[in-house]
Amino acid sequence: MNHMDKDVKEILFSKEEIHNKVAELGEKITKDYKDVDNLLVICVLKGAVSFLSDLIQEIPLPLVIDFMDVSSYGSGVSSTGEVRILKDLDSSVEGRNILIVEDIIDTGITLNYLKKLLLSRGATSVEVVTLLTKPSRRQKGVDVKYVGYEIDDLFVVGYGLDYNEKYRNLPYIGYLKEEVYS
Ligand code: IMP
Ligand code: MG
């Protein structure tokens, strides 16, 4: 029991379930990219940090990681619809095969923007792996090759996901009590 547990209404995915899912995704990705020698894995900050860290350990291939922060969110729980680059990549994407690692796809605005941006910069291929997706919330279509779990339209925290920058360090993913964010 830690001091954040009291704000969680229900645990959706335990640490162990997440671990198994990440291993499964890593195995698929490894098969698909076994002949690719310039794989660039891009982590979307900050929510995907936990996922990236575990996922790359399940992909025993030569790869390089980089980070980008593209936010369509203010500090609340709903998208503002506006995309801003808060931190750009260090590396060039030209001629690279890219795998974007995302925590959750909500409206799709962030990823739709990011995929187009990387292709316009000359990436050879851009695929997406997301741990979570909320299909009922989609506003922009995005082609997502690897999906961990489809979830209902409720706000989740933990395993990297935050509410007002908190709860990222919960080892599980759970629904936050409404009273915490209303
Ligand atoms: P989109 O552009 O609307 O798809 O927003 C995606 C981003 O919104 C994710 O990368 C998260 O940072 C954030 N987000 C969306 N839903 C949730 C949630 O339930 N919990 C925490 N963050 C979320
Ligand atoms: Mg995010």
Side-chain angles (χ1 to χ4, degrees), residues 44-48 70 102-104:
V44 184
L45 292 170
K46 304 169 190 164
V70 190
E102 189 44 306
D103 50 358
I104 185 164

Side-chain angles (χ1 to χ4, degrees), residues 90-128:
D90 294 334
S91 31
S92 161
V93 302
E94 208 175 331
R96 308 294 298 264
N97 291 289
I98 293 173
L99 179 66
I100 301 174
V101 179
E102 189 44 306
D103 50 358
I104 185 164
I105 305 176
D106 186 38
T107 61
I109 292 170
T110 307
L111 268 183
N112 185 278
Y113 171 83
L114 204 49
K115 272 188 105 167
K116 280 189 196 149
L117 178 75
L118 298 175
L119 287 169
S120 78
R121 287 180 180 179
T124 301
S125 68
V126 182
E127 298 294 352
V128 178

